[in-house]
Amino acid sequence: MKEKLYQYLLMLGDNSMILGHRLSELCGHGPSLETDIALTNHSLDLFGQVRSYFQYAAEVKGGEATEDSVAFLRYERDYLNTILVEQPNTDFAHVIGRQFLFDAYHLPLLEQLMESNDETIAAIAAKSIKESRYHLRFSSSWVKRLGDGTDESHQKMQAAINHLFPFIHELFRETPIEKEMKELGIGADLSLIKERFDEKIKEVFAEATLEIPQIPSRQVNGKIGIHTEQMGFILAELQYMQRAYPNMTW
Amino acid sequence: MNTQDLEKKFQDRIDAGEKIEPKDWMPEKYRKTHIRQISQHAHSEIVGMLPEGNWISRAPSLRRKVALLAKVQDEGGHGLYLYSAAETLGISRDELFNQLHTGKAKYSSIFNYPALTWADIGAIGWLVDGAAIINQVMLTRTSFGPYARAMVRICKEESFHQRQGYEILLTLCNGTEVQKAMAQDALNRWWWPSLMMFGPRDEESPNTAQSVKWKIKRKTNDELRQQFVDNTIPQAEILGITVPDPDLKWNEERGHYDFGAIDWSEFWNVVKGNGPCNKERLAARNAAWDNGAWVREAALAHSEKQAKREELKQAI
């Protein structure tokens, strides 16, 4: 049970961490000062969540584990984030698209986790939900702006959505760990999230004049640690200091 | 009133310690000097995001990563208030960006040096922010109201950044030999460029007299530089690392540290564009701006569409 709870915390924390990492790559390079500051703020919020999840994960794991050993000292196959969040910052439309699809999943997830039987998870969700609400508002407004902006921005936004959409199915495909956590009243019921997600997508895309892609889902399994070729490069940066200078205090 | 009377009245207000506000009459040179200085300062903030920003993805711990993200974000925020302060003088942010991107406007040369190791993140906070604070504390009392008020807020955040940088180095200096060597190497590379941040020697700083008269400056470059050295040396001693200056010694008589000669040819060479990273910094700013053009156009087009829809609604 402890091991499964630990794995579930990794799933939650890794999504926030890898998305936070992608956003942090943009810091100082945004299309305007305001969006730069806002996206860095998203990254900060996500890393704040990561710290809460991983402090708890370290406690569950016991022994010498710390938030940093959980974050930095795992092998690639042990990271359990979904494939959506590791997609690169191809352009601002991809950044916004990735953020919107994640936020539309994340907010209803946190709403359920606030009711978790696990008090720590419930507390982390209660704290994170205000951030997630703001993130969804921000990303929705940008999907609308880009979708219903110029011809160029419309095309770019639709292209980004077409690229990202095949990765959303994984968010709702229940793994054995998620099933068990749901049954114990610790984790969320993904089918309920899916309803909320679909509604949100419909509403925002209609206003953004975007089409919901009818593209088959991709065979991806980030939640069991099988990632894209991007992931090795993400980890090479993320883990660089901890790997190059092992066992030191920073 | 003729110009001479206006100028006298203006100078009297400054001498009386009054703040000048954007709508007040001011000599054209005062306006231009402020646009130049405030925008240079704003550019320095946003170019300054780049050397540190390049370490966010490699920060060694979650706590350090979050602190560095917040710090670099603060710099973006400082850029934002400073551009707004400059805009009160009748110039647009787009025009100021254009001056930066074309190389017409300058920014602090220190950001043309590379951040090579994690210790550099500590050194930048400790030395670069430390030097900036000395200048900026003085500017909280500058005569132009919007600039002085922006500085009050910026100074609070900068002094937090400086402590954070120092604490990074303190951790390294209390760590392994490898970490301590990393800290010493960072000090060796950042020390002299930090001293250059205060600008040329007083005898080679032609604008100082006018700036002092207008209370843009309340101390000269050399006075500020001395204050920085005096503040910093005891801090280096606590860290147990050595400033790379064989001529540095306490001068009992003056009550200050004496320090060695600065290589001003390096300074001017970096100002002229030949520092280690000038080209990369400008290229990064230009790329962010150019790649963002379609996004800014879309936001504008969308808000125009929204306004039209609103108008239609009102009409019905």
Side-chain angles (χ1 to χ4, degrees), chain B residues 12-25:
Chain B
D12 289 346
R13 288 186 61 198
I14 288 186
D15 293 343
E18 278 180 49
K19 290 277 180 259
I20 306 301
E21 296 301 332
K23 291 203 168 118
D24 297 348
W25 185 88

Side-chain angles (χ1 to χ4, degrees), chain B residues 85-97:
Chain B
E87 281 180 312
T88 66
L89 291 164
I91 189 161
S92 70
R93 209 205 293 179
D94 281 8
E95 203 174 331
L96 294 171
F97 274 152

Side-chain angles (χ1 to χ4, degrees), chain B residues 95-106:
Chain B
E95 203 174 331
L96 294 171
F97 274 152
N98 186 48
Q99 292 176 356
L100 172 67
H101 297 150
T102 54
K104 195 180 151 210
K106 298 285 178 218

Side-chain angles (χ1 to χ4, degrees), chain B residues 124-137:
Chain B
I124 292 172
W126 175 40
L127 300 173
V128 176
D129 289 302
I133 291 166
I134 288 186
N135 248 315
Q136 290 169 357
V137 165

Side-chain angles (χ1 to χ4, degrees), chain A residues 27-28 31 34 37 41 43-44 47 68 142 148-149 152-153 156 237-238 241-242 245 248-250, chain B residues 57-58 60-62 64-66 72-73 93 118 171-172 176 179 182 285 292 294 296 298 302 305 309:
Chain A
C27 181
E34 287 82 354
I37 291 170
N41 213 47
S43 180
L44 268 170
F47 275 107
D68 288 328
W142 272 103
D148 188 29
E152 184 187 7
S153 71
K156 285 192 148 95
E237 274 190 56
L238 190 74
M241 289 294 290
Q242 290 278 343
Y245 303 92
M248 297 185 201
T249 304
W250 302 97
Chain B
S57 62
R58 290 175 291 168
S61 69
L62 290 174
R64 295 293 185 201
K65 191 187 288 284
V66 167
V72 179
Q73 187 195 34
R93 209 205 293 179
W118 175 252
T171 308
L172 297 185
T176 61
Q179 286 173 300
M182 195 190 272
R285 285 313 320 162
W294 69 271
R296 297 188 301 274
H302 180 76
K305 280 185 188 173
R309 280 180 207 132

